Amino acid sequence: DDGLCDPAYDVVVVGPRQGRWRAGRQFGQEPTIISADALTYEQFMSIHADPMLLLKVVSKPIAIEA
């Protein structure tokens, strides 16, 4: 377990206007939201290391059951 596969988090990625491919995904100006458990460590690090991409890790909203 590399610690990045926690389904309680999302990875939000924004790329340049012309788009950018990294980790088998295309990123553009619209935020792309990926569940953290859908990325391998290598994919996360390749996105993180790309200076053309803005990456943010956020907590998923907590579902409240009535």
Side-chain angles (χ1 to χ4, degrees), residues 2 4-5 9 16-18 26 29-30 33 36-37 44 61:
D2 54 28
L4 292 174
C5 60
Y9 294 93
R17 183 171 16 132
Q18 71 273 17
Q26 185 174 21
Q29 285 186 307
E30 291 296 318
I33 301 170
D37 61 346
F44 178 87

Side-chain angles (χ1 to χ4, degrees), residues 4-14 25 27 31-40 43-45 47-48 54-60:
L4 292 174
C5 60
D6 189 335
Y9 294 93
D10 282 330
V11 178
V12 182
V13 185
V14 177
R25 299 170 186 263
F27 303 102
T32 300
I33 301 170
I34 308 164
S35 183
D37 61 346
L39 292 172
T40 66
Q43 289 171 324
F44 178 87
M45 292 308 295
I47 296 167
H48 183 289
L54 175 65
L55 178 145
K56 186 175 180 181
V57 178
V58 298
S59 296
K60 290 183 179 177

